[in-house]
Amino acid sequence: MKYILSLLFAIATISISAQNPYKVYCTLQGNEKELRNNQVSLSIDYGQESLKDNKLVDENGNEIKFNTMVSAMNYMSKLGWNFEGSYNSIDQTWGGRIFIWILSKEVTSDGEITQGFQTKKMFKERHGN
């Protein structure tokens, strides 16, 4: 009986969660200097506590390089992210433009926000570096 009640509770919880998706946002940031060289590594802000080491990396911890902001958007689109808008800013250090793209995604839990990608910081935390 306890097993059946537990199973029913789990099913009810899953269906309630699946029925209540909500939108989350992130920004992708690339700079003009790197884009001129056709090798931009992007920073991502998805609401994490610290923006330190927020470059996108592969499974080996190497920064992922993109040829354009659109190629980065195509990468994120495959992970369920949608383009919302963009704006430019000026880097205070070297004076070049920073391209900032705003993306959104429907999720049912915060754990889904980072599914499919990792940052340098996430890689370091997972591998003890």
Side-chain angles (χ1 to χ4, degrees), residues 24-69:
V24 294
Y25 297 89
C26 78
T27 62
L28 291 180
Q29 299 174 23
N31 71 55
E32 180 179 40
K33 189 178 191 181
E34 288 183 331
L35 282 169
R36 283 187 193 151
N37 296 329
N38 292 331
Q39 287 293 300
V40 63
S41 57
L42 296 175
S43 299
I44 187 166
D45 175 359
Y46 55 90
Q48 68 268 40
E49 202 170 295
S50 168
L51 295 178
K52 184 178 182 211
D53 290 333
N54 65 338
K55 299 273 187 180
L56 290 173
V57 298
D58 64 18
E59 64 278 353
N60 298 315
N62 301 314
E63 286 184 21
I64 300 172
K65 301 284 187 174
F66 298 95
N67 293 328
T68 65
M69 290 295 289

Side-chain angles (χ1 to χ4, degrees), residues 116-127:
F117 73 82
Q118 68 178 337
T119 63
K120 188 70 165 178
K121 181 178 181 178
M122 293 162 65
F123 180 84
K124 287 179 179 180
E125 289 171 354
R126 288 183 182 137
H127 295 88

Side-chain angles (χ1 to χ4, degrees), residues 7-105:
L7 183 61
L8 288 174
F9 179 75
I11 291 169
T13 303
I14 290 169
S15 17
I16 289 170
S17 319
Q19 294 172 0
N20 295 315
Y22 55 95
K23 193 181 271 193
V24 294
Y25 297 89
C26 78
T27 62
L28 291 180
Q29 299 174 23
N31 71 55
E32 180 179 40
K33 189 178 191 181
E34 288 183 331
L35 282 169
R36 283 187 193 151
N37 296 329
N38 292 331
Q39 287 293 300
V40 63
S41 57
L42 296 175
S43 299
I44 187 166
D45 175 359
Y46 55 90
Q48 68 268 40
E49 202 170 295
S50 168
L51 295 178
K52 184 178 182 211
D53 290 333
N54 65 338
K55 299 273 187 180
L56 290 173
V57 298
D58 64 18
E59 64 278 353
N60 298 315
N62 301 314
E63 286 184 21
I64 300 172
K65 301 284 187 174
F66 298 95
N67 293 328
T68 65
M69 290 295 289
V70 172
S71 62
M73 183 62 234
N74 288 337
Y75 174 85
M76 295 301 287
S77 179
K78 290 176 186 174
L79 302 177
W81 292 92
N82 301 300
F83 180 79
E84 292 285 335
S86 66
Y87 62 95
N88 297 331
S89 182
I90 301 296
D91 185 291
Q92 298 303 314
T93 307
W94 60 276
R97 284 187 296 174
I98 303 291
F99 300 98
I100 301 166
W101 286 26
I102 303 165
L103 314 179
S104 70
K105 178 179 177 177

